[in-house]
Amino acid sequence: MNYDFILVFLLSIKAESMSPNISLPRKVVIVGAGAVGATFAYALAQDGAAETICLIDNNEKLADGHVADLAHGLPYYPSVSIYRGDSQDYVDAQVIVITAGSAQRPGESRLELLKRNASIIESIMDDIIEVQSRAVVIIVSNPVDVLTQVALDHSRWPRSHIFGSGTVLDSARFRYFISKEMGVDVKSVHAYILGEHGDSELPAWSLTNVAGVSIQKYVESKGRGDEWPEKSQRIFESVKNSAYHIINYKGATNFAIGQAMVHIVRAILRDSHSVLTVSYQLKGEYGLKDVCISVPCIVSKHGVESVLTADLTEEELQALHQSAQVLKESLKSLKGEG
Ligand SMILES: NC(=O)c1ccc[n+]([C@@H]2O[C@H](COP(=O)([O-])OP(=O)(O)OC[C@H]3O[C@@H](n4cnc5c(N)ncnc54)[C@H](O)[C@@H]3O)[C@@H](O)[C@H]2O)c1
């Protein structure tokens, strides 16, 4: 008997039965009302894409405070219902965004912190599964790629329904730094950071363009080809160091990630088929298997619809594989196999 075929068949039935119901309200549940969750809620309220925003946090007073503060702004932004909820709110949510996390304790190793955050994600997933939610779940908590894999392994949901915010924020930073260097509107710069949301990420220069003109051609047309190798390296370093830099100044990053989350969630609520570098479990794409990592994906009301297979250079592909290896090692150490 072909068990692989039966497994694929059963999973496809499960994926079908989990397709977000058209009748679900445009309801977004945000789990974790800290700096990121609260800022995302504020940006989402202003955007108008959601009908309902529900905040959940272990710290109920914090969530109540944010809800009241946000609700008082209602006269000035689109109609939206905002309240503090609980796990019953997962039932009819269209999107659940998990920003819950724990900060590193004094003397705590990265692995210990990872284990604590993994168990937070697992317990939230248990609550989501228990009420048979059909929401698309987006992980934002760090380390986002590993925690996305944890959520998938724990829930056994189809991969389309659980993904991480990945390098959507890093790609926005990349576009920003290129636009500053080039003196051109950031909206005309198309560029992606791929790989881990972290130190092993890579810039996909081969996909980078200004209004369709490859970045290499663009800099040459400006007579800046000679300085580009050094400048491009500096741009990437700025992207990679952004989080460290901001956290050094203010303790957390929250505005740009809040805005990036609105962009991702809007793609689901509006079924816009946007190309976003979310952290998605690959199953052979780019020669990678069973690792959640950022590559360009098409996002719609079904979650991740498909992976865009871009023509990366050999060097970029190799860097993507190296980044995947870093993530696999991290997952192994979490499982005690490292
Ligand atoms: N993926 C990205 O691009 C990106 C960017 C910025 C921050 N982050 C990550 O987002 C996470 C949140 O960052 P932050 O600055 O908002 O942290 P924070 O400490 O301000 O907020 C975290 C919140 O989670 C809550 N929480 C903890 N366990 C919970 C649980 N089981 N259920 C409900 N709520 C729970 C806490 O009470 C707290 O309010 C961190 O892991 C951070 O590293 C990711």
Side-chain angles (χ1 to χ4, degrees), residues 159 175 196 209 220 230 263 284 318 338:
R159 59 176 180 156
R175 292 171 64 191
E196 177 196 17
N209 68 78
E220 279 163 16
E230 192 235 316
H263 197 61
Q318 205 178 343

Side-chain angles (χ1 to χ4, degrees), residues 111 134 165 182 200 207-208 256 283 319:
L111 183 58
R134 280 170 300 150
S165 56
M182 295 295 141
S200 71
L207 307 180
T208 305
K283 294 228 174 271

Side-chain angles (χ1 to χ4, degrees), residues 32 34-36 57-58 62 99-101 120 140-142 165 169 197 253 257:
V36 173
D57 198 292
N58 276 354
L62 177 72
T99 73
I120 289 175
V140 183
S141 315
N142 275 324
S165 56
L169 170 61
H197 169 63
T253 64
I257 180 65

